[in-house]
Amino acid sequence: MNIILLGPPGAGKGTQAQRLVEARGMRQLSTGDMLRAAVKAGTPTGLQAKAVMERGELVSDEIVSALIGEELDSMGADTGAIFDGYPRTAAQAAALDGILAQRGRNLDHVIELDVNEDALVERITGRFTCANCGKGYHDKFEQTKVPGVCDKCGSTEFKRRPDDNEETVRTRMAEYRAKTAPILPIYDARGIVVQVDGMADIDLVTKAIESILAN
Ligand code: ADP
Ligand code: ADP
Ligand code: ZN
């Protein structure tokens, strides 16, 4: 099973991907996470991507498609892939077709998380993650059970992304509208797009996605 989670920044792609990984043993392929790791490691890709990401603009199609190909090659052939934050442009969507075909994989579903843009700034500015295991949280919508302690691993260290500020979010939303939303018709024409109400509670969104995958 190979699926794309599609939606603007803050739609809940990462949150739902983490749950699918836990529940179904699929792999989350987040180009954002891969790029942040490259920035942290100071690789040539990271050096190129850093300023672009800080502005909230898109990193080049070649870079992100190469990262996706490498990640797929590191996975077992029967491990399902959840594409989170990729593809984001028509060129990336075309590249993904080739990347999947070369590896004998098929795209099963494109799950569009449908959200109200007005909610996204609050979601993004309240977002934080465990510095140890990467589990995602929100100041208001998904708090740790014990204040200051990660539910999953017990760590007391958390981090926030430098690009999760209101100004950058506006640029990221504009990039989504201009470059990413237009790829939906490509998948729509193949009959593989399913919309999920991303404004529902996190657990309800998970249930809706599970019922799509069960079909
Ligand atoms: P994305 O990966 O699409 O950018 P995230 O999954 O990181 O989005 O979600 C952004 C923030 O909003 C996180 O802090 C997350 O806890 C919170 N969040 C995710 N889904 C929901 C939801 N359905 N309702 C309320 N808050 C949510
Ligand atoms: P979010 O889910 O909140 O939109 P991501 O973690 O997916 O954020 O992406 C963070 C940043 O990394 C983006 O603003 C962009 O600069 C870069 N990025 C991530 N994925 C891609 C991609 N597929 N194509 C181009 N740039 C990307
Ligand atoms: Zn943790």
Side-chain angles (χ1 to χ4, degrees):
M1 174 101 70
N2 302 286
I3 66 170
I4 295 174
L5 295 181
L6 201 72
K13 304 179 296 293
T15 301
Q16 298 302 328
Q18 287 188 342
R19 289 172 167 223
L20 291 173
V21 167
E22 300 264 314
R24 304 177 72 97
M26 297 173 77
R27 175 93 75 104
Q28 175 186 11
L29 289 90
S30 159
T31 40
D33 286 348
M34 294 173 204
L35 289 167
R36 280 184 288 279
V39 169
K40 198 172 168 199
T43 65
T45 293
L47 293 175
Q48 247 182 294
K50 187 169 189 280
V52 180
M53 293 171 76
E54 276 167 3
R55 289 196 300 271
E57 294 167 7
L58 293 184
V59 173
S60 83
D61 294 328
E62 292 72 23
I63 286 182
V64 292
S65 294
L67 289 171
I68 286 287
E70 286 163 23
E71 187 84 2
L72 278 173
D73 288 336
S74 76
M75 299 168 42
D78 49 5
T79 301
I82 307 159
F83 297 100
D84 162 11
Y86 178 93
R88 263 175 154 95
T89 64
Q92 292 177 27
L96 180 60
D97 284 341
I99 288 169
L100 291 174
Q102 276 166 14
R103 291 162 181 81
R105 286 177 182 265
N106 188 40
L107 195 55
D108 297 283
H109 304 283
V110 175
I111 298 175
E112 183 192 3
L113 293 171
D114 196 11
V115 283
N116 176 346
E117 262 197 28
D118 299 337
L120 299 180
V121 170
E122 187 184 15
R123 281 205 191 170
I124 294 225
T125 53
R127 166 162 70 184
F128 64 97
T129 53
C130 172
N132 178 52
C133 74
K135 165 138 185 34
Y137 293 98
H138 190 279
D139 291 326
K140 201 159 130 190
F141 305 127
E142 196 177 11
Q143 299 169 334
T144 57
K145 292 198 182 84
V146 178
V149 182
C150 176
D151 297 353
K152 195 174 155 192
C153 77
S155 167
T156 54
E157 306 259 335
F158 297 89
K159 58 183 184 187
R160 288 176 195 263
R161 283 167 44 180
D163 60 340
D164 277 351
N165 59 75
E166 178 156 359
E167 195 198 333
T168 308
V169 172
R170 301 265 174 220
T171 306
R172 285 155 58 197
M173 291 194 313
E175 288 281 72
Y176 180 82
R177 253 182 267 121
K179 296 173 187 163
T180 308
I183 71 180
L184 268 162
I186 302 172
Y187 295 121
D188 228 356
R190 298 183 201 169
I192 57 173
V193 178
V194 194
Q195 285 197 336
V196 167
D197 177 12
M199 295 308 294
D201 284 349
I202 296 177
D203 288 344
L204 288 176
V205 178
T206 304
K207 283 205 180 99
I209 294 174
E210 279 296 346
S211 78
I212 292 163
L213 300 193
N215 276 314

